[in-house]
Amino acid sequence: MAMALKAVHVCDVPNLDLVPENAALALCSTRFRAGVNDDKICECNIPKFLVVGHRGNGMNMLQSPDPRMKSIKENSILSFNEAAKFSIDFIEFDVQVTKDDYPVIYHDNFVLHEEKGVIVENRVTELALAEFLSYGPQKHPGSEGKPLYRKTKDGRFFEWKVEKDAPLCTLEEAFHDVDQSVGFNVELKFDDFIVYKEEELSRILKAILKVVFENAKGRQILFSSFQPDAARLIRKLQSTYPVYFLTNGGSEIYTDIRRNSLEEAIKLSLENGLQGIVSEVKAVFRNPGAVGRIKESKLSLMTYGQLNNVPEVAYMQHLMGVEGVIVDLVKEISESVSDLTHAKEGEEKSMYGEEDGKKEVKAKPQFSKDELSFLLKLIPELMIQA
């Protein structure tokens, strides 16, 4: 059962064992790495620690008791622009291609609606654009779309009701209508249970690239995918934008062994000149030594997962050398990370006599060894609950 995540503060817990001396590793790089097969750094102005809005301002969990998880329709223009109001670097969203070759933004493999009391499932990639856009709220006043439903992993159906609903959208609309200041993490979405031929993958990826190249206009872009061959091919088809391989690091086991561990993710990335890895956060905490191996391989590392909605967990990753977090609680985490990193910058300036006393810096939590030890012990407990 998914838990409702709340911010956890180190001052609220008892004293625990001391943290090892090497717990806090070097801070992360200021740019995307180019991958071992390409000496050129991708042309992206990347800050030291990325905060990325998951599906915009956060994914929808209709079964969650936390109202923040059903506040704004995920993967919508409304959600993207809401996220852009905060101090984030990118928004992440899922792109699929309709049967008439239009890239659309939608997470689930199937669109669900009700007909005569029965839930009907239609695969997104088997719908034409017009039919896809006929679901949910409509843009034109007076028009009414078919109500959307969602299926949970345990098989329950929920009508897709959120506080602020919004129409479905295309990738092209996102480029036109979303605040230009925020970058796009374009997740190339494929069905885990389908074996794709290279020709089919290539057709889909070329349709997405066409929209990206025609509409990016200087916006920062990165591609990511759980599908190993899609990640490999998108890197082969273009070298303008960085490509990251998504992995849950072994939390689930797949027939394709390339998806089953961080070690396999490193191997795939190195063999295909990818720029980095996006791992489920629990895999990183289960195998912290992988962070060093990833950095030694000149790859960047970001994470996703519900644990990233805890501010101290995000900051712990910052100390470990992780270069960014994908989060649902965009306001809370972006503000927390901003306060922590700005406080550190302010302290560094004071150490060297720069602008001492001239700049107001919000105090960051005093992470003593005891408190860092708490974080190291808290995180496994949260991993069990998440």
Side-chain angles (χ1 to χ4, degrees):
M1 179 180 294
M3 66 175 180
L5 289 170
K6 296 185 288 187
V8 180
H9 295 287
V10 293
C11 59
D12 295 332
V13 300
N15 197 31
L16 296 174
D17 297 335
L18 295 182
V19 69
E21 290 291 338
N22 62 350
L25 304 178
L27 295 181
C28 41
S29 96
T30 59
R31 60 188 178 181
F32 282 121
R33 305 177 192 277
V36 294
N37 294 336
D38 189 349
D39 293 330
K40 187 178 77 171
I41 297 297
C42 292
E43 298 298 325
C44 294
N45 245 348
I46 304 301
K48 287 186 178 180
F49 190 71
L50 296 174
V51 177
V52 181
H54 187 209
R55 305 182 201 172
N57 200 47
M59 71 174 177
N60 295 152
M61 291 182 64
L62 304 177
Q63 72 277 25
S64 173
D66 189 337
R68 294 174 296 182
M69 305 304 288
K70 42 196 171 186
S71 173
I72 304 175
K73 183 70 158 287
E74 70 174 46
N75 277 338
S76 67
I77 302 296
L78 180 65
S79 184
F80 300 154
N81 281 323
E82 181 65 23
K85 294 177 182 178
F86 303 105
S87 181
I88 66 169
D89 307 287
F90 284 78
I91 52 171
E92 179 271 353
F93 51 74
D94 312 273
V95 174
Q96 304 183 59
V97 175
T98 62
K99 72 176 183 180
D100 47 354
D101 288 336
Y102 287 93
V104 296
I105 299 177
Y106 199 78
H107 174 269
D108 302 353
N109 294 319
F110 294 89
V111 174
L112 276 59
H113 70 285
E114 185 180 15
E115 285 184 10
K116 299 178 181 179
V118 177
I119 301 297
V120 178
E121 301 184 358
N122 291 308
R123 187 177 289 279
V124 172
T125 55
E126 294 177 357
L127 296 173
L129 177 63
E131 188 175 1
F132 171 78
L133 295 176
S134 71
Y135 293 96
Q138 300 296 291
K139 294 178 181 177
H140 303 293
S143 299
E144 189 172 333
K146 305 169 193 173
L148 284 166
Y149 284 76
R150 206 159 201 191
K151 186 178 182 180
T152 60
K153 287 186 177 181
D154 60 7
R156 291 179 293 162
F157 293 99
F158 289 84
E159 187 171 356
W160 202 330
K161 289 184 177 181
V162 293
E163 184 181 339
K164 297 179 182 178
D165 212 341
L168 302 181
C169 67
T170 67
L171 178 59
E172 184 173 2
E173 286 175 317
F175 276 111
H176 293 167
D177 299 337
V178 175
D179 190 318
Q180 188 68 27
S181 68
V182 68
F184 285 176
N185 173 1
V186 179
E187 181 183 336
L188 309 166
K189 184 76 176 178
F190 294 92
D191 192 324
D192 291 338
F193 300 101
I194 293 178
V195 177
Y196 293 89
K197 294 182 179 179
E198 185 154 330
E199 295 81 4
E200 176 68 2
L201 287 174
S202 183
R203 179 189 68 80
I204 292 168
L205 297 177
K206 286 178 180 178
I208 294 170
L209 284 174
K210 181 176 185 294
V211 173
V212 170
F213 283 121
E214 289 178 356
N215 297 278
K217 297 179 181 177
R219 190 188 296 270
Q220 293 182 354
I221 307 290
L222 69 89
F223 293 110
S224 62
S225 186
F226 284 102
Q227 220 291 344
D229 291 314
R232 174 180 61 81
L233 271 175
I234 197 76
R235 175 63 172 139
K236 184 178 179 181
L237 290 169
Q238 61 83 45
S239 59
T240 304
Y241 302 113
V243 180
Y244 279 49
F245 180 55
L246 274 159
T247 179
N248 63 30
S251 299
E252 297 179 46
I253 300 301
Y254 298 89
T255 304
D256 190 333
I257 62 170
R258 296 175 295 178
R259 300 188 60 179
N260 289 342
S261 69
L262 284 172
E263 297 304 326
E264 286 292 336
I266 294 170
K267 181 181 176 183
L268 176 81
S269 298
L270 293 177
E271 288 177 349
N272 294 283
L274 308 187
Q275 281 69 40
I277 294 166
V278 183
S279 171
E280 214 287 333
V281 60
K282 289 185 284 187
V284 170
F285 285 120
R286 288 193 188 105
N287 185 12
V291 177
R293 291 192 293 277
I294 289 168
K295 295 177 77 66
E296 288 168 7
S297 300
K298 298 184 179 179
L299 297 167
S300 295
L301 174 64
M302 297 196 294
T303 66
Y304 73 92
Q306 289 189 55
L307 277 180
N308 282 350
N309 294 317
V310 179
E312 285 83 2
V313 172
Y315 190 66
M316 175 61 80
Q317 293 176 76
H318 177 58
L319 295 178
M320 291 171 67
V322 174
E323 294 175 290
V325 288
I326 299 174
V327 305
D328 295 298
L329 303 184
V330 171
K331 178 180 185 295
E332 291 85 343
I333 303 303
S334 63
E335 290 177 353
S336 174
V337 167
S338 179
D339 290 348
L340 292 169
T341 54
H342 287 171
K344 183 171 183 64
E345 289 168 6
E347 288 173 358
E348 289 172 350
K349 286 185 177 181
S350 294
M351 286 174 62
Y352 293 98
E354 298 180 28
E355 300 181 10
D356 196 11
K358 295 182 182 179
K359 185 176 180 180
E360 181 182 352
V361 177
K362 293 184 180 180
K364 70 181 179 67
Q366 299 302 306
F367 284 113
S368 67
K369 288 185 177 181
D370 292 343
E371 291 165 334
L372 284 171
S373 174
F374 154 69
L375 287 175
L376 291 174
K377 291 192 174 184
L378 168 69
I379 287 163
E381 292 298 318
L382 289 173
M383 286 166 60
I384 293 171
Q385 299 177 59

